[in-house]
């Protein structure tokens, strides 16, 4: 509690747009740490390292903007845009899967925080050059920030509810005789499945990760999306022997691949 005084003072004596910039960066750093910690606890060791690696300089840059202002505001705005470019490739997966909470939440929080930081950084710098620095937010500005925050929180709640509502489980009866394929740590387990040609086979594919994955076998026309914690029954019908690749199609999940080996039926 002893730190609250100076921290609050530092926050309050800064102009509105500097606070918007620093606030955006700090929210991004927090979101990055939470995501890294969740993945670390979820069984993907080492996830916290890149998260902390990007959160630490982000916090330092936000504090510089709050303490010094001036040129550090440009640094903060440029840093916000860099973070956006760095995470940009992962955003389509998140935004296109509202029912996968972790993916959607990471994409939405990153975008909102980085937008706030960029707008704040640029506006703060421009106001300082023009000598129009304002300590407090105009009513419209305050309403915009409150409104945007409410929309983000509302969408996060919606995504969480959709995720829970979309969870699928496979009953014990259906599981009996089916081949289990797990998705864990952005890998398939096992990476080889053997079935007989001309005999229908069933897979139970379960996603034990927090993030969404796909199970795609192009040659067999299989294309399923499975959110974290969900499982699906997938029928395989291969009439002739051969081997078919199964993959997850999302960016950054290139290591997720396996093979379905279709053996000739015993004579
Ligand atoms: Cu995947």
């Amino acid at each position: 509690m002893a730190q609250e005084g100076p921290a609050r003072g530092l926050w309050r004596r800064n102009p509105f747009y500097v606070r918007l910039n620093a606030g955006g960066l700090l929210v991004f750093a927090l979101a990055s740490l939470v995501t890294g910690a969740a993945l670390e606890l979820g069984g993907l060791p080492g996830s916290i390292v890149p998260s902390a690696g990007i959160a630490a300089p982000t916090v330092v840059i936000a504090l510089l903007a709050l303490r010094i202002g001036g040129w550090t505001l440009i640094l903060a705005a440029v840093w916000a845009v860099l973070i956006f470019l760095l995470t940009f490739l992962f955003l389509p997966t998140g935004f296109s899967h509202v029912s996968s909470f972790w993916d959607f939440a990471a994409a939405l929080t990153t975008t909102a925080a980085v937008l706030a930081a960029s707008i704040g950084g640029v506006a703060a710098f421009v106001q300082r050059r023009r000598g129009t620095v304002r300590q407090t937010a105009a009513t419209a500005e305050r309403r915009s920030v409150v409104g945007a925050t409410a929309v983000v929180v509302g969408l996060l709640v919606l995504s969480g509810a959709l995720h829970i509502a979309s969870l699928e489980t496979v009953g014990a009866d259906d599981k009996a005789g089916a081949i289990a394929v797990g998705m864990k740590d952005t890998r398939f387990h096992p990476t080889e499945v053997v079935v007989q040609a001309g005999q229908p086979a069933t897979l139970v594919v379960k996603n034990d990760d927090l993030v969404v994955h796909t199970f795609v076998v192009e040659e067999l026309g299989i294309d399923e999306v499975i959110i974290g914690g969900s499982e699906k029954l997938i029928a395989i019908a291969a009439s002739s022997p051969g081997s078919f690749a199964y993959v997850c199609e999302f960016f950054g999940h290139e290591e997720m691949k396996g093979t379905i080996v279709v053996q000739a039926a015993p004579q």
Side-chain angles (χ1 to χ4, degrees):
M1 282 298 134
Q3 292 225 320
E4 197 180 306
R8 276 181 83 98
L10 179 65
W11 183 255
R12 283 204 178 147
R13 74 163 177 264
N14 269 286
F16 166 67
Y17 280 111
V18 176
R19 281 181 275 145
L20 184 64
N21 166 264
L25 289 178
L26 291 174
V27 168
F28 170 80
L30 183 67
S32 174
L33 281 178
V34 168
T35 308
L39 291 175
E40 181 88 33
L41 294 173
L44 205 54
S47 301
I48 196 74
V49 177
S51 298
I54 196 159
T58 304
V59 170
V60 170
I61 289 169
L63 291 178
L64 281 177
L66 286 171
R67 273 211 98 90
I68 301 172
W71 64 271
T72 62
L73 295 175
I74 287 295
L75 175 67
V78 169
W79 185 253
V81 174
L82 275 180
I83 294 167
F84 191 75
L85 293 177
L86 200 70
T87 50
F88 182 73
L89 291 166
F90 293 93
L91 296 180
T93 304
F95 279 121
S96 56
H97 294 90
V98 184
S99 61
S100 177
F101 178 75
W102 285 100
D103 294 277
F104 182 75
L108 181 66
T109 313
T110 300
T111 306
V114 167
L115 270 178
S118 307
I119 293 169
V122 173
F125 189 79
V126 169
Q127 284 196 339
R128 178 172 278 238
R129 300 227 25 170
R130 289 186 181 161
T132 55
V133 174
R134 263 184 300 109
Q135 209 66 19
T136 51
T139 308
E141 290 165 342
R142 188 177 298 114
R143 279 189 186 153
S144 302
V145 172
V146 171
T149 307
V151 168
V152 167
V153 172
L155 287 173
L156 290 179
V157 171
L158 175 75
S159 173
L162 273 175
H163 191 128
I164 293 167
S166 308
L167 286 174
E168 288 177 63
T169 50
V170 174
D173 285 356
D174 286 329
K175 268 185 192 163
I179 302 163
V181 175
M183 295 159 150
K184 182 76 186 142
D185 302 341
T186 323
R187 295 280 198 285
F188 285 114
H189 309 276
T191 51
E192 188 181 276
V193 168
V194 180
V195 299
Q196 306 295 318
Q199 289 178 20
T202 319
L203 304 182
V204 183
V205 184
K206 176 150 201 250
N207 183 353
D208 283 314
D209 278 336
L210 293 171
V211 297
V212 65
H213 293 301
T214 65
F215 185 87
V216 174
V217 189
E218 230 168 66
E219 293 104 320
L220 301 179
I222 297 169
D223 186 349
E224 298 283 350
V225 174
I226 305 170
I227 60 171
S230 210
E231 56 186 351
K232 269 188 186 175
L233 213 54
I234 297 171
I236 295 177
S239 49
S240 48
S243 58
F244 308 97
Y246 54 93
V247 297
C248 173
E249 288 191 319
F250 292 139
F251 176 80
H253 297 200
E254 288 76 18
E255 294 299 311
M256 286 187 82
K257 50 195 174 191
T259 312
I260 296 174
V261 178
V262 183
Q263 291 182 337
Q267 297 298 311

